Amino acid sequence: MNVNIRQETPNDYNATEQVVEQAFANAELSDKNEHLLVSRIRNSEGFLPELSIVATEPETNKLVGHILLSKIQIRKNDGKTVESLALAPVSVLPEKQNKGIGGLLISEALRKAKELGYLSVIVLGHPEYYPKFGFKSASLWGIKAPFEVPEFEEVFEELQLKQWRQAKRMK
């Protein structure tokens, strides 16, 4: 699907929150409050405007997708704390899903994060989907979720951006 990918602006906030709310309206593992999460992150110290990215239709400029990466501190099993990014959420309008928009948003957000010098990204997501972008179980790096994760540890994943860049070159 042909879309334009760009940084979100304050003028997009209402439309973005509507996209996020619609994207998760029928999601099985959702509390239906992801749009409120986006708003809370925007008002936090972890918000990075350059890593809040939207997809729009070229013809109408209608917002059809959004991704947000925000700064977090992760505590490793050895007690050390490191800065990382959290990917949450990635949203695409239901009628536009399964057309590659989410993948474009993820790829652009990871590229931009790498460009800005960040070393890793954490996600709580589908273990079948995120590995195609290079994500692996966070436990491989001695990182454990600070909360209970659903059923399988593999849903809490990390991507080392240095390795991501190398993997992109190999394809």
Side-chain angles (χ1 to χ4, degrees), residues 22 64 91 104 133 142 147 149 153:
Q22 290 176 43
V64 296
S91 311
L104 289 172
F133 297 98
F147 46 81
V149 292
E153 184 178 272

Side-chain angles (χ1 to χ4, degrees), residues 9 46 49 68 75 78 81 84 103 105 118 120-121 148 155 165:
T9 68
L68 180 61
R75 185 179 313 270
D78 63 9
T81 303
S84 185
L105 286 166
Y118 289 94
S120 67
V121 179
E148 198 70 29
V155 300
R165 177 59 87 204

Side-chain angles (χ1 to χ4, degrees), residues 11 16 21 24-25 70 73 82-83 86 110 121 125 129-131 150 153 158:
N11 290 336
T16 296
E21 187 172 21
F24 288 93
S70 55
Q73 293 290 319
V82 287
E83 187 174 77
L110 295 176
V121 179
Y129 184 69
Y130 287 96
E153 184 178 272
E158 182 184 34

Side-chain angles (χ1 to χ4, degrees), residues 4-5 14 24 32 38 46-47 54 57 74-76 92 94-96 113 115 142 145 166:
N4 293 327
I5 304 290
N14 288 334
F24 288 93
K32 313 299 184 242
V38 168
F47 180 58
V54 296
E57 292 181 327
I74 53 177
R75 185 179 313 270
K76 297 179 79 169
V92 177
E95 66 272 17
K96 303 293 183 179
E115 179 182 291
Q166 291 168 346

Side-chain angles (χ1 to χ4, degrees), residues 6 15 24 26 30 41 43 57 76 126 139 142 144 152 155 161:
R6 62 171 173 79
F24 288 93
N26 296 315
S30 168
I41 292 171
N43 291 306
E57 292 181 327
K76 297 179 79 169
H126 297 283
S139 64
K144 203 172 169 186
F152 303 104
V155 300
L161 288 172

Side-chain angles (χ1 to χ4, degrees), residues 15-153:
T16 296
E17 290 176 27
Q18 290 174 12
V19 167
V20 175
E21 187 172 21
Q22 290 176 43
F24 288 93
N26 296 315
E28 189 177 321
L29 298 174
S30 168
D31 65 1
K32 313 299 184 242
N33 288 313
E34 287 82 2
H35 62 293
L36 300 176
L37 171 65
V38 168
S39 180
R40 281 195 313 271
I41 292 171
R42 277 198 209 103
N43 291 306
S44 76
E45 290 181 15
F47 180 58
L48 299 163
E50 54 271 79
L51 293 176
S52 186
I53 300 169
V54 296
T56 60
E57 292 181 327
E59 313 78 41
T60 64
N61 209 29
K62 177 184 174 186
L63 203 141
V64 296
H66 174 255
I67 189 169
L68 180 61
L69 274 66
S70 55
K71 282 193 293 188
I72 60 167
Q73 293 290 319
I74 53 177
R75 185 179 313 270
K76 297 179 79 169
N77 291 343
D78 63 9
K80 292 180 182 173
T81 303
V82 287
E83 187 174 77
S84 185
L85 296 171
L87 187 165
V90 59
S91 311
V92 177
L93 287 174
E95 66 272 17
K96 303 293 183 179
Q97 291 176 3
N98 300 310
K99 297 180 184 200
I101 297 170
L104 289 172
L105 286 166
I106 292 168
S107 293
E108 177 59 15
L110 295 176
R111 184 198 66 74
K112 186 69 176 171
K114 171 75 174 166
E115 179 182 291
L116 292 171
Y118 289 94
L119 301 176
S120 67
V121 179
I122 297 288
V123 67
L124 181 62
H126 297 283
E128 311 83 46
Y129 184 69
Y130 287 96
K132 65 182 166 182
F133 297 98
F135 285 88
K136 296 179 181 175
S137 176
S139 64
L140 295 172
W141 288 277
I143 300 167
K144 203 172 169 186
F147 46 81
E148 198 70 29
V149 292
E151 297 182 40
F152 303 104
E153 184 178 272

